[in-house]
Each structure stands twice: as structure tokens, then as C-alpha cells.
């Protein structure tokens, strides 16, 4: 009987010899019997990921209303219904329901992240049962099963390999390793990182080359993919800075409105001796005036406009609040492959016996040149260089071809890099292959670590070309190719040059040749043992994107050029599954970190959470990281009060993407699990798009702040009209002794809705201000209701109240009716808001320039729309009947216009005072 607990609790299968793993699992190379498989299925269960317990759709929908500002909005809807203003009540209810539906849909999409991981599991598996091959559903696999793998298969469970022939597996989705990794059957150290466990094949990864057999050591939730699924289900999505601030603001606003309404009610009864009924209606009017009904809609629309702008810049937003959160990001944790780099291997150096050549260009496009001592050269003038490139092109199975404007690779990335380098020297793959036809081949294998071809050559000779790991190629060589003649091999020289190139983060690939007789048509093992001439070493790397270098410089605060030196105050950290030397080399070129300091996954595991919190702010490069490492790093940064954006493309990135304040997934090469866990998807997989998104995020926040600074004085002015009317006794008593306010609750609702819809909405379209990327990120703790905001709201509210009530009293003194005086007061309020809209385009900068007044088409259109609405409100008989208004004469309009200009001038003077103080 097998020991279930021993198998389940065994975590380090990679450190166990294959025979010992078989013994622990009670299995053999011939697999299990059918009867044993059935018994084990009862013990271990199916090879499936757990289904997370989720809230029902009704619960999720109702929870969308669990927000203080929404409560205030619902209260406003109830109040307007009590006032029998059914249209306004339905409009307000409609706003809350639309917001709830948006949140409900977005949350439903986010919960698909677990499902997308489940879809990564292989649907079928080839196993040995009763010593016979069987094709079974992957969910029927159990520990102890022997699984057969071949190129193109998806690994169905975590396997300990015991047979392997040239096996290569693409583990990029799991480890972040940018190229397929070679596998073998040997155990490694207990603490070896996930990407270096060569004797293991992990569930959900893809076999790209070769064959193998392995015994199942973990299924379902116990696999590496299962562990990530568990992490993902346990990760809580953080609320955004804006939502936290809105919640605070909602509490503050609710308390302030209720307090003011209550005080006004009691003041009217006790001091003014007004009736309780009139004062209740006045308190209701005050509440209606003070509640910014249009604010949630304006916030949603502003965020939606930000989404559209970002989409045009290749950043697709999945959750609306993420737009604003980008503006407050203090740290960007970026995966290397595909985001900071092109995910296209490129030859950067070629070392021969007497020269170190540089190769420019990036990716598979054959655009670039060769350099020597940083000077451009013609490779045709360097025979040995051409021999190296020609040999690399012939000993190669990759094909680089052009599709429209893009260059595509068919084959292994490393071989594609060699083909591209040869094309840069003017070599043509088809022509060269015809001139030097291949006669035989020994394919690359992970055991041999080399590939060899036999090619027909000139002068009655054929040529064996050997390509592979430098140490394997070198051991078969006795000479090296020099300019004049072949010389004895200088092993120390090649070791030194290899270390020099590798220290730049480049992968090494060596090339050697051997002449044989023209009648030899096949390759044998003895032909590959000795007497080769060493030609050179290629240095190959996945180079950083040029636009990523510029974007990182913008964010970090370094100069891209003399004319462009931005300081956005954002720190960029690289977190990758690649080796530390590669990571440091790329980071140095990007200007990330000091080019020397990096923290590996092994080092990270030894640190406690507290120790990690202390060290993580000072380290910018993290290599050989696992999903748990990435999640710990994000949590550690957030614990230090940072707003973190995390980029990634693999399943291994999904937990950290979900935990980050803004998760950013790759759109072209990203897995579905990463996309579903993210808040934003980069359509072009380019780091530069993140910098663009940060700029748009800051603009969105600026525009939200401008909208709030515009809307609140509107509500404040209306509320103060009610308060001042009662305190100062400004109003009319009718024949029955009832007190009438200068502006009635329905008229207040009209002002709220038309100004919010037509005027405040225009601010959502404001472009980025000139200094948006020159200032540091705002503090995550910055209050939405700042001291400055309170001052501006109070200052403008007082101006509006003076104008509205002043005009109201003046009209009454001239013998106007209550309705006519009220109409003048309403239009005075609206005109003040129109001119204040120009002030609001810039919070501190002056607006009395041509750009400030005429520079926004949406502002001018919104004013034109408002003019039509307000003239209809004033002069159309149906509107006059509904809102008790009367037509104004030209003299009244002149006074209203003069008041609007005065508001504009006074606010501009106030802004000038604040600019001097700043």
C-alpha cells in the first residue's frame, strides 16, 4: 500500500534520483496496472484544479451599491421622489444602476482568471498501463503513472523524468525563461530554483523538441500550476487610491449635509419662527442642493474617456478605476521578456581569434551593421568573419522570412539570431544552401549540447560544421582559425573572451569546422570526436527595446536626450525568471539599478517578510524568481506604502498581477490567465505603453479633480442660497403665512443636472498639462478633500451666493414678481458657473490666455448647449409652467453677464495669489 501523505508532502522531487522517486511512488518504468490506477484514483482524486467558492450573481450585483457615495445618491433619489419629481428621481436611480452594472460585469470578467488557468491543463495524456500505451484524459492521471512526452505535447502533470532524448520544454508561462530549456534525468540541489530543475517537467508547459518519459509526482492542486491557482484564489484585489478617497469624501459629505440640514431646520423654527412644514421642505431643498448628483456619472465618464485615450496608445483598460490608479503609481515592477525586451534573440558580438566584432540592430529584421572598435566595417573585408557567418547559416534549421512589414521566425530563437546576423552581412539562406548543399546532419541534443552538419564544399573537400556550447565544441578542437593560418588552440584565451561576453548577459554559442574528403556523404560518431578548427564565439541576447529605454528614462528621471529630460519620480524594478547576469546586463542598458546589485530567488527565500521589506526598496533587479517571489515582492512594496504596477505575461505572473494596484498583462504574447488577472493589457507588449498610460492616468486624475472643483462650488452655492435665505430672512411670505425660498428644490435639481451634464463633462476631455510627467507621483494618502479644495469651494460658493441673492433682492426692489426674481437668481448662478468653468480648466495656472478661453472645443460646445437649455428654461411656456420661471429683459441679462465676468476675474486673482505662495 502506498503512503499517500509521504507522496503529497514530498516537495523536492527535483532533488531525488529518478529510481528513488519511482520507489517512493510505488511505480516502475513500465507504469501502473489498471487496477492499481483505479485504487489510486480513489485515494488522490482526479487531476483537476479546485473550483473556488464564488458569490452568486445577485450578491455580487447588490455589493456594487455598498459605497457611501452611492448611499448619498440613493438618498437624493428618495428625496426627489418624495418631492414628486419623478423624472429627476428616475435619472438619479438610473445613474446608480448603470454604475452597479459596470462594476458587476467587470468583476465577472476578473473571476475568469482561475478558469483560464484550468484551461492550460492538457486535455489528453499518453501513459503506460499494464505495460501498454494508452491515450487517457489528463484528469485521470494519478501519482505513479508513467507519461510519454513528445514534441508538441502539453505536459499533463508534474513529472520526474527518467528517460530523455533531446527534450526541450517551453516553460516561459511558468518561469519567465525566454527560450525553451533543455531537460535531462539528473537530480539537482534541494534549493535549486524552479527554472533550473532540469529533471522535472511541469504541468501546463509545452514540449518543443525531443522525447521523454516521466513518472507523475504531483497532480491537480499539488502541481506548480495548482500552487499558482491556490495563490491566485487567496490574493485579495486592493481598492484603488481614488475609491479610497471617494469613500472618505462620501463620509465627509454625508455628515456635512445632514448637519447643515439639521441646523437649518432648527434655526428656522427656533430663531425665525417659521413653520415645521416649511422648514422640512427647506431642509430637503438644502440636501438636494448640496448633494452632487452628477459626480458619480462624471467620474465614470471621465474614467471611460481615459480608457479610450489609453486604447489609442495601446493600453487596454479592463477595470475603470485602474485608469486613475496609474496616475499615482510610484513603482513599476516589470517582467523582462517581451516588455522591456523584444523577445527576439539577437547576435550582439562575434569573437574570432584576433577580433571582437559588434553587431547592431535588434530582433529578426536584418537591419544592422558590423563594427570593430566601435567603427563601422564591411564584413566582406573580413574573411574569417564571413567564414563564421556562412558556417552558422549552413549549420542551422531556422528560417527568417518577411510578412508584409514584419520579420517572422520559423525555428529556435537562438538559430534565428544566427540567420539574421548572416543576412546582415549580405548572405542569402537559399542561395548559400544551394551553393553548399547539406549532405548529412546530427541534430542538436541536450546530452551532446551540439549540432553538426556535413556540407559539400569547394576544391574536392567537404566540410563538417559543429555548433554548440563552447565547452563541448572546444574539447573537440585542436586548432583555431587565424587571419593568416590555423594555429594551436589557445584555450585560456577563449575562456577569458567567453567570460567577458557572458558578463554582459549574453548567451554563448561556439562554432568549429573540419575538412573531410569529398567522397564522405554521412556523419559518424568518430567524425565528431576531434581535429576541429575553432572559428569563433557568438554572443546572443534578447536586447532591450529602444522605446523601453526611453520610457524607463522618462519614468526614472534620467535624460533621454539634451532636449528631453523628464522626472516622473517613478522607480522601475525588473523581476525576471532569467539568469542574474542576463538580468543585470539588460537592466544596465535600460538604466535600471546600478548594474551590479541583484537579488536572486534563492536569496529572497531566505529572507523573512520584515527583512524583505527593508531590502526591497533599494534593489531594482530580481532574477530567477518564482510566482511566490513575485507576490512577496509586490506585498513588500505595498507594505512600504507604494502604489505598485506589475507587468507580466505568464501564468506565474497572475497572482502578483492580481495583487498589484495595477496589474499589466501582455496582449500579444501573454497567457489568458495573466490577462484575466490584470487591470490593463498592453496591445503591443511594450514598456513604453506603460509610460504613456501613466501620463494618461495622471491626466485623468487631474481632470477628475477639476470636475470636483467645478461641481462642488455649484452645489455649495445652491446650498448657501438656501441657508442664507433662512438665516437672513430673504424670501417671500405668501398670503397664508408660508415662507418661500428664492430658488425652489425643482429649480435646484435643474441647475444640478444641466451644469453637471453640459459643463462639468467638458472637463473630462481636457488634454494633459505641460508638467504632468515632470512632477512626482501624488502621495497615496493625499486627501481628495484637501484644505485648498475646501477653500476654493467656499470662495466660489460665496461669490455665487452673493450674485444670486443680490440679483434676487434687486429684482424684488424693482417690483419684480417672485417667479421673475427667482429666474434672475437661477440664471445668475448658472452664468457664474459658466465663467468659473474657464477658471477650472487649470487649477493653478492662469486661464485668461487665448488657450485658456478658446483652447478647448468641448468647453465651447458645452457652453453653447447650456445656453440653449437655459434659454428654453427661461422662455419656453412648458418650462415656465414646470419650473415657475418668467422671461428676463435685456437689462437683467447685462447684469448677469457682468457678474459672470467678475467671478472669472476674482478667481483668477485668487489663483495668482496661490501661485506666488507655491
Amino acid at each position: 500500500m502506498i503512503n499517500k501523505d509521504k507522496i503529497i508532502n514530498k516537495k523536492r522531487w527535483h532533488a531525488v534520483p529518478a529510481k528513488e522517486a519511482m520507489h517512493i511512488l510505488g511505480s516502475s518504468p513500465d507504469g501502473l496496472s489498471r487496477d492499481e490506477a483505479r485504487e489510486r484514483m480513489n485515494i488522490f482524486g482526479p487531476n483537476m484544479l479546485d473550483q473556488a467558492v464564488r458569490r452568486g450573481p445577485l450578491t455580487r450585483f447588490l455589493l456594487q451599491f455598498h459605497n457611501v457615495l452611492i448611499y448619498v445618491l440613493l438618498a437624493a433619489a428618495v428625496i426627489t421622489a418624495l418631492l414628486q419629481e419623478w423624472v429627476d428621481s428616475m435619472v438619479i436611480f438610473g445613474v446608480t444602476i448603470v454604475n452597479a452594472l459596470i462594476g458587476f460585469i467587470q468583476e465577472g470578467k476578473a473571476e475568469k482568471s482561475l478558469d483560464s488557468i484550468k484551461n492550460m491543463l492538457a486535455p489528453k495524456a499518453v501513459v503506460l498501463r499494464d505495460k501498454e500505451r494508452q491515450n487517457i484524459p489528463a484528469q485521470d492521471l494519478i501519482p505513479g503513472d508513467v507519461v510519454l512526452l513528445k514534441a508538441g505535447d502539453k505536459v499533463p502533470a508534474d513529472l520526474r523524468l527518467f528517460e530523455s532524448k533531446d527534450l526541450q520544454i517551453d516553460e516561459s508561462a511558468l518561469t519567465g525563461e525566454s527560450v525553451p530549456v533543455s531537460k535531462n534525468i539528473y537530480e539537482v540541489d534541494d534549493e535549486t530554483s524552479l527554472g533550473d530543475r532540469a529533471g522535472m517537467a511541469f504541468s501546463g508547459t509545452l514540449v518543443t523538441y525531443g522525447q521523454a518519459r516521466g513518472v507523475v509526482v504531483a497532480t491537480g492542486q499539488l502541481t506548480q500550476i495548482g500552487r499558482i491557482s491556490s495563490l491566485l484564489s487567496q490574493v485579495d484585489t486592493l481598492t484603488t487610491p481614488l475609491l479610497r478617497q471617494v469613500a472618505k469624501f462620501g463620509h465627509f459629505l454625508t455628515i456635512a449635509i445632514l448637519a447643515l440640514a439639521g441646523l437649518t431646520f432648527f434655526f428656522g423654527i427656533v430663531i425665525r419662527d417659521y413653520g415645521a412644514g416649511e422648514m422640512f421642505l427647506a431642509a430637503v431643498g438644502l440636501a438636494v442642493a448640496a448633494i452632487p448628483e452628477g459626480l458619480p456619472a462624471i467620474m465614470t465618464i471621465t474614467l471611460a474617456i481615459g480608457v479610450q485615450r489609453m486604447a489609442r496608445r495601446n493600453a487596454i483598460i479592463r477595470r475603470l478605476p485602474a485608469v486613475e490608479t496609474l496616475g499615482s503609481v510610484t513603482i513599476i515592477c516589470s517582467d523582462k521578456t517581451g516588455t522591456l525586451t523584444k523577445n527576439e534573440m539577437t547576435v550582439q558580438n562575434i569573437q574570432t581569434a584576433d577580433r571582437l566584432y559588434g553587431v547592431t540592430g535588434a530582433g529578426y529584421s536584418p537591419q544592422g551593421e558590423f563594427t570593430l572598435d566601435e567603427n563601422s566595417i564591411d564584413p566582406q573585408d573580413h574573411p574569417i568573419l564571413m567564414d563564421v557567418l556562412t558556417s552558422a547559416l549552413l549549420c542551422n534549421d531556422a528560417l527568417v522570412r518577411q510578412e508584409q512589414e514584419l520579420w517572422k521566425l520559423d525555428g529556435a530563437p537562438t538559430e534565428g539570431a544566427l540567420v539574421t546576423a548572416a543576412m546582415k552581412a549580405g548572405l542569402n539562406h537559399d542561395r548559400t544552401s544551394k551553393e553548399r548543399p547539406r549532405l548529412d546532419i546530427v541534430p542538436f541534443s541536450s546530452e551532446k549540447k551540439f549540432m553538426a552538419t556535413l556540407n559539400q564544399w569547394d576544391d574536392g573537400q567537404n566540410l563538417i560544421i559543429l555548433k554548440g556550447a563552447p565547452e563541448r565544441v572546444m574539447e573537440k578542437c585542436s586548432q583555431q582559425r587565424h587571419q593568416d593560418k590555423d594555429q594551436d588552440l589557445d584555450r585560456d584565451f577563449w575562456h577569458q573572451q567567453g567570460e567577458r561576453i557572458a558578463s554582459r548577459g549574453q548567451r554563448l554559442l561556439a562554432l568549429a569546422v573540419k575538412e573531410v574528403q569529398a567522397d564522405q556523404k554521412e556523419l559518424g560518431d568518430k567524425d565528431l570526436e576531434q581535429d576541429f578548427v575553432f572559428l569563433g564565439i557568438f554572443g546572443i541576447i534578447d536586447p532591450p527595446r529602444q522605446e523601453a529605454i526611453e520610457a524607463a528614462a522618462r519614468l526614472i528621471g534620467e535624460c533621454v536626450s539634451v532636449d528631453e529630460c523628464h522626472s516622473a519620480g517613478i522607480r522601475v524594478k525588473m523581476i525576471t525568471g532569467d539568469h542574474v547576469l542576463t538580468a543585470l546586463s539588460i537592466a544596465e542598458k535600460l538604466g535600471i539599478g546600478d548594474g551590479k546589485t541583484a537579488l536572486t530567488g534563492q536569496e529572497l527565500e531566505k529572507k523573512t517578510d520584515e527583512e524583505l521589506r527593508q531590502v526591497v526598496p533599494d534593489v531594482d533587479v530580481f532574477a530567477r524568481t518564482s510566482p511566490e517571489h513575485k507576490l512577496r515582492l509586490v506585498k513588500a512594496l505595498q507594505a512600504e506604502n507604494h502604489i505598485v504596477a506589475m507587468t507580466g505575461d505568464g501564468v506565474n505572473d497572475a497572482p502578483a498581477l492580481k495583487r498589484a494596484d495595477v496589474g499589466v498583462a501582455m496582449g500579444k504574447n501573454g497567457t489568458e490567465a495573466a490577462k484575466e488577472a490584470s487591470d490593463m493589457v498592453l496591445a503591443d507588449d511594450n514598456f513604453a505603453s506603460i509610460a504613456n498610460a501613466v501620463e494618461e492616468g495622471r491626466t485623468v486624475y487631474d481632470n477628475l479633480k477639476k470636475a470636483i472643483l467645478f461641481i462642488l462650488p455649484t452645489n455649495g452655492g445652491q446650498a448657501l442660497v438656501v441657508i442664507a435665505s433662512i438665516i437672513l430672512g430673504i424670501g417671500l411670505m405668501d398670503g397664508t403665512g408660508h415662507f418661500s425660498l428664492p430658488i425652489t428644490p425643482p429649480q435646484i435639481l435643474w441647475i444640478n443636472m444641466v451644469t453637471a451634464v453640459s459643463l462639468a463633462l467638458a472637463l473630462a476631455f481636457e488634454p494633459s498639462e505641460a508638467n504632468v510627467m515632470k512632477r512626482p507621483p501624488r502621495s497615496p494618502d493625499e486627501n481628495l478633500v484637501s484644505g485648498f479644495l475646501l477653500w476654493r469651494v467656499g470662495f466660489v460658493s460665496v461669490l455665487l451666493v452673493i450674485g444670486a441673492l443680490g440679483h434676487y433682492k434687486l429684482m424684488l426692489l424693482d417690483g419684480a414678481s417672485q417667479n421673475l426674481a427667482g429666474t434672475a437668481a437661477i440664471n445668475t448662478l448658472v452664468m457664474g458657473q459658466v465663467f468659473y468653468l474657464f477658471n477650472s480648466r487649470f487649477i493653478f495656472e492662469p486661464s485668461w490666455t487665448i488657450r485658456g478661453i478658446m483652447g478647448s472645443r468641448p468647453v465651447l460646445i458645452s457652453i453653447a448647449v447650456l445656453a440653449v437649455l437655459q434659454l428654453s428654461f427661461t422662455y419656453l411656456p412648458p418650462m415656465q409652467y414646470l419650473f415657475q420661471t418668467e422671461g428676463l429683459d435685456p437689462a437683467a441679462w447685462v447684469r448677469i453677464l457682468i457678474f459672470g465676468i467678475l467671478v472669472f476675474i476674482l478667481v483668477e486673482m485668487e489663483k495668482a495669489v496661490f501661485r506666488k505662495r507655491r
Side-chain angles (χ1 to χ4, degrees):
M1 190 68 179
I2 63 170
N3 188 330
K4 176 184 176 182
D5 292 336
K6 186 175 182 180
I7 293 174
I8 290 177
N9 295 325
K10 185 71 177 176
K11 305 294 185 186
R12 307 291 183 181
W13 292 102
H14 58 276
V16 177
K19 286 185 178 180
E20 184 179 338
M22 286 278 193
H23 177 72
I24 295 171
L25 291 160
S27 186
S28 72
D30 294 328
L32 303 172
S33 67
R34 290 180 175 86
D35 293 338
E36 177 68 14
R38 278 193 295 269
E39 290 180 13
R40 293 194 180 198
M41 179 60 70
N42 294 329
I43 296 172
F44 293 100
N47 178 30
M48 299 171 63
L49 299 183
D50 292 343
Q51 181 69 40
V53 179
R54 298 180 181 176
R55 296 174 300 203
L58 179 60
T59 304
R60 285 198 292 117
F61 179 71
L62 292 176
L63 284 173
Q64 306 304 318
F65 295 93
H66 185 52
N67 180 289
V68 174
L69 198 58
I70 298 298
Y71 294 152
V72 175
L73 204 61
L74 290 172
V78 171
I79 292 168
T80 51
L82 291 174
L83 292 170
Q84 297 185 355
E85 297 295 332
W86 306 114
V87 174
D88 295 311
S89 181
M90 293 303 295
V91 167
I92 299 169
F93 270 123
V95 169
T96 62
I97 290 171
V98 168
N99 283 336
L101 284 172
I102 290 171
F104 175 76
I105 293 169
Q106 293 296 335
E107 186 176 323
K109 288 181 179 179
E111 286 193 350
K112 291 181 180 177
S113 55
L114 289 176
D115 294 332
S116 61
I117 286 183
K118 291 180 177 61
N119 293 335
M120 289 194 62
L121 299 182
K124 293 286 185 179
V126 179
V127 300
L128 290 178
R129 296 264 175 95
D130 288 330
K131 300 182 181 180
E132 296 178 355
R133 292 187 182 217
Q134 290 188 20
N135 210 329
I136 66 171
Q139 67 183 38
D140 292 343
L141 284 174
I142 33 82
D145 261 329
V146 170
V147 176
L148 283 63
L149 297 176
K150 66 180 186 304
D153 287 348
K154 189 176 284 186
V155 181
D158 283 4
L159 310 178
R160 177 65 175 89
L161 302 174
F162 61 86
E163 286 184 18
S164 175
K165 183 177 181 181
D166 306 335
L167 184 67
Q168 295 183 35
I169 296 180
D170 180 359
E171 297 182 338
S172 58
L174 189 64
T175 66
E177 180 73 43
S178 53
V179 295
V181 292
S182 298
K183 295 291 184 176
N184 55 49
I185 63 172
Y186 306 111
E187 68 271 19
V188 292
D189 290 339
D190 191 61
E191 299 299 324
T192 301
S193 63
L194 193 68
D196 293 323
R197 298 175 186 176
M200 298 290 297
F202 298 110
S203 178
T205 59
L206 183 67
V207 178
T208 60
Y209 194 83
Q211 300 176 342
R213 295 188 179 195
V215 60
V216 175
V217 296
T219 59
Q221 213 67 25
L222 298 176
T223 63
Q224 290 295 327
I225 285 282
R227 291 174 60 208
I228 294 173
S229 176
S230 298
L231 280 175
L232 195 59
S233 64
Q234 296 165 11
V235 173
D236 295 325
T237 304
L238 298 182
T239 185
T240 71
L242 177 66
L243 294 182
R244 291 196 293 267
Q245 292 163 7
V246 167
K248 279 185 185 179
F249 174 68
H251 283 99
F252 170 82
L253 193 61
T254 303
I255 294 169
I257 291 171
L258 293 176
L260 278 173
L263 288 172
T264 304
F265 178 79
F266 285 107
F267 183 90
I269 293 175
V270 176
I271 305 299
R272 288 292 178 186
D273 198 27
Y274 295 145
E278 288 84 4
M279 283 302 96
F280 176 75
L281 289 176
V284 168
L286 171 59
V288 170
I291 294 172
E293 292 92 344
L295 184 57
I298 292 300
M299 288 176 57
T300 301
I301 293 168
T302 304
L303 293 173
I305 291 169
V307 167
Q308 294 175 354
R309 285 178 171 175
M310 289 183 182
R312 288 195 290 268
R313 302 181 78 172
N314 295 312
I316 301 167
I317 299 296
R318 297 184 66 253
R319 283 199 315 125
L320 277 181
V323 179
E324 174 275 332
T325 310
L326 280 161
S328 58
V329 163
T330 58
I331 287 182
I332 297 176
C333 297
S334 181
D335 186 23
K336 175 185 74 68
T337 307
T339 313
L340 296 172
T341 63
K342 293 177 69 67
N343 199 20
E344 296 178 350
M345 302 303 289
T346 305
V347 174
Q348 288 202 328
N349 288 110
I350 301 174
Q351 177 71 60
T352 64
D354 55 355
R355 297 282 191 274
L356 175 62
Y357 297 97
V359 186
T360 65
Y364 301 125
S365 171
Q367 305 298 319
E369 59 183 18
F370 292 81
T371 62
L372 184 61
D373 299 327
E374 299 185 357
N375 296 315
S376 298
I377 61 165
D378 184 350
Q380 302 290 340
D381 297 334
H382 297 259
I384 296 180
L385 175 62
M386 291 303 297
D387 285 348
V388 172
L389 293 168
T390 302
S391 300
L393 188 62
L394 293 170
C395 187
N396 203 308
D397 287 330
L399 177 64
V400 176
R401 53 190 170 78
Q402 189 174 17
E403 290 185 0
Q404 295 178 348
E405 296 182 358
L406 298 177
W407 287 87
K408 299 285 187 177
L409 167 69
D410 291 332
T414 302
E415 293 203 329
L418 300 181
V419 172
T420 302
M423 292 170 69
K424 290 176 182 177
L427 295 173
N428 180 279
H429 192 283
D430 292 338
R431 184 170 60 248
T432 304
S433 297
K434 288 178 181 178
E435 293 172 353
R436 308 275 194 265
R438 181 183 295 179
L439 304 175
D440 198 9
I441 181 174
V442 175
F444 175 86
S445 70
S446 54
E447 288 80 10
K448 297 185 182 75
K449 294 186 177 180
F450 65 77
M451 169 186 179
T453 61
L454 175 63
N455 291 78
Q456 184 176 318
W457 216 252
D458 298 328
D459 303 326
Q461 298 286 329
N462 288 343
L463 196 71
I464 301 174
I465 306 172
L466 188 70
K467 179 190 73 187
E471 64 275 11
R472 296 305 308 275
V473 173
M474 199 178 301
E475 67 186 20
K476 302 176 184 298
C477 295
S478 57
Q479 293 186 307
Q480 63 189 34
R481 182 67 46 88
H482 201 269
Q483 280 187 339
D484 301 324
K485 59 181 180 178
D486 294 344
Q487 301 176 337
D488 290 339
L489 184 67
D490 186 347
R491 298 181 185 275
D492 291 339
F493 168 79
W494 290 110
H495 282 305
Q496 291 172 4
Q497 296 306 311
E499 290 178 358
R500 176 185 173 189
I501 296 172
S503 67
R504 302 173 182 174
Q506 299 176 25
R507 299 171 184 265
L508 302 181
L509 197 67
L511 203 70
V513 296
K514 177 182 177 180
E515 293 183 357
V516 295
Q517 295 300 317
D519 58 356
Q520 181 170 337
K521 305 298 182 182
E522 296 181 351
L523 286 175
D525 290 340
K526 289 187 178 180
D527 296 319
L528 304 177
E529 289 180 356
Q530 57 187 3
D531 297 331
F532 278 85
V533 179
F534 201 90
L535 288 187
I537 294 176
F538 289 92
I540 305 172
I541 199 169
D542 183 8
R545 297 172 180 261
Q546 181 59 37
E547 58 268 38
I549 296 175
E550 296 173 359
R554 288 176 63 200
L555 295 171
I556 296 168
E558 296 179 357
C559 293
V560 179
S561 65
V562 175
D563 298 325
E564 183 181 9
C565 186
H566 300 290
S567 182
I570 298 173
R571 193 154 183 173
V572 181
K573 296 180 183 290
M574 179 194 291
I575 305 177
T576 178
D578 261 330
H579 290 281
V580 65
L581 281 178
T582 304
L584 282 172
S585 175
I586 296 294
E588 184 178 14
K589 293 177 181 178
L590 288 162
I592 298 174
D594 57 8
K596 300 176 182 177
T597 307
L599 193 67
T600 65
Q602 286 186 350
E603 294 168 333
L604 195 151
E605 281 186 353
K606 297 174 183 177
K607 296 186 181 296
T608 65
D609 289 342
E610 182 59 35
E611 289 172 337
L612 190 61
R613 283 182 59 180
Q614 293 175 3
V615 72
V616 73
D618 300 320
V619 179
D620 292 329
V621 180
F622 301 88
R624 268 333 203 195
T625 54
S626 70
E628 291 91 345
H629 299 155
K630 295 183 179 184
L631 183 58
R632 284 189 68 198
L633 288 169
V634 170
K635 287 182 177 180
L637 290 166
Q638 289 172 334
E640 293 297 305
N641 208 31
H642 286 289
I643 302 297
V644 181
M646 173 77 196
T647 77
D649 55 2
V651 180
N652 59 319
D653 299 315
L657 289 172
K658 185 178 178 183
R659 170 70 190 196
D661 297 279
V662 182
V664 183
M666 304 301 107
K668 291 167 63 178
N669 297 316
T671 60
E672 286 303 311
K675 294 175 187 176
E676 293 294 343
S678 68
D679 304 296
M680 182 174 84
V681 177
L682 299 183
D684 58 355
D685 290 10
N686 195 336
F687 184 82
S689 295
I690 302 176
N692 295 335
V694 169
E695 180 178 347
E696 291 294 347
R698 292 187 175 189
T699 301
V700 165
Y701 185 80
D702 283 351
N703 291 348
L704 283 172
K705 202 167 183 178
K706 291 171 186 177
I708 291 169
L709 277 172
F710 175 77
I711 289 175
L712 292 188
T714 299
N715 296 101
Q718 293 164 175
L720 282 180
V721 166
V722 177
I723 295 170
S725 298
I726 294 170
I727 292 175
L728 302 177
I730 302 175
L732 282 182
M733 302 291 290
D734 63 17
T736 62
H738 291 152
F739 178 78
S740 298
L741 290 171
I743 302 177
T744 64
Q747 292 170 341
I748 289 171
L749 273 174
W750 167 265
I751 299 171
N752 281 355
M753 296 311 295
V754 297
T755 55
V757 171
S758 62
L759 296 184
L761 181 58
L763 294 173
F765 295 90
E766 284 294 296
S768 301
E769 294 191 11
N771 68 338
V772 69
M773 291 299 282
K774 294 181 180 178
R775 60 191 190 225
R778 73 178 189 277
S779 169
D781 298 326
E782 177 185 306
N783 288 321
L784 196 63
V785 185
S786 62
F788 166 75
L789 185 142
L790 290 174
W791 157 258
R792 174 67 66 82
V793 169
F795 176 65
V796 178
S797 296
V798 168
L799 291 180
L800 294 176
V801 130
I802 292 172
L805 290 184
H807 205 182
Y808 175 79
K809 288 294 290 182
L810 182 62
M811 293 290 288
L812 290 178
L813 290 174
D814 285 344
S817 66
Q818 164 75 2
N819 287 349
L820 184 60
T823 305
I826 292 166
N827 280 290
T828 304
L829 269 177
V830 171
M831 187 62 73
Q833 291 166 38
V834 167
F835 278 88
Y836 178 56
L837 179 64
F838 291 109
N839 299 121
S840 300
R841 288 197 61 213
F842 308 104
I843 296 174
F844 292 107
E845 297 304 310
S847 297
W848 45 35
T849 62
I850 295 296
R851 175 170 169 258
I853 295 173
M854 303 298 295
S856 172
R857 187 179 178 187
V859 165
L860 298 176
I861 291 173
S862 69
I863 292 172
V865 170
L866 178 64
V868 173
L869 290 172
Q870 205 59 30
L871 289 172
S872 301
F873 172 83
T874 305
Y875 292 106
L876 286 182
M879 301 293 280
Q880 290 177 339
Y881 173 77
L882 285 173
F883 292 101
Q884 290 86 51
T885 59
E886 294 182 13
L888 298 175
D889 59 24
W893 283 113
V894 170
R895 292 192 295 270
I896 289 170
L897 181 62
I898 291 172
F899 170 73
I901 295 171
L902 283 173
V903 169
F904 177 79
I905 293 172
L906 290 171
V907 174
E908 286 302 305
M909 291 172 64
E910 177 251 18
K911 286 163 68 173
V913 172
F914 272 93
R915 282 199 302 275
K916 287 183 179 179
R917 288 185 178 181
R918 294 179 72 197

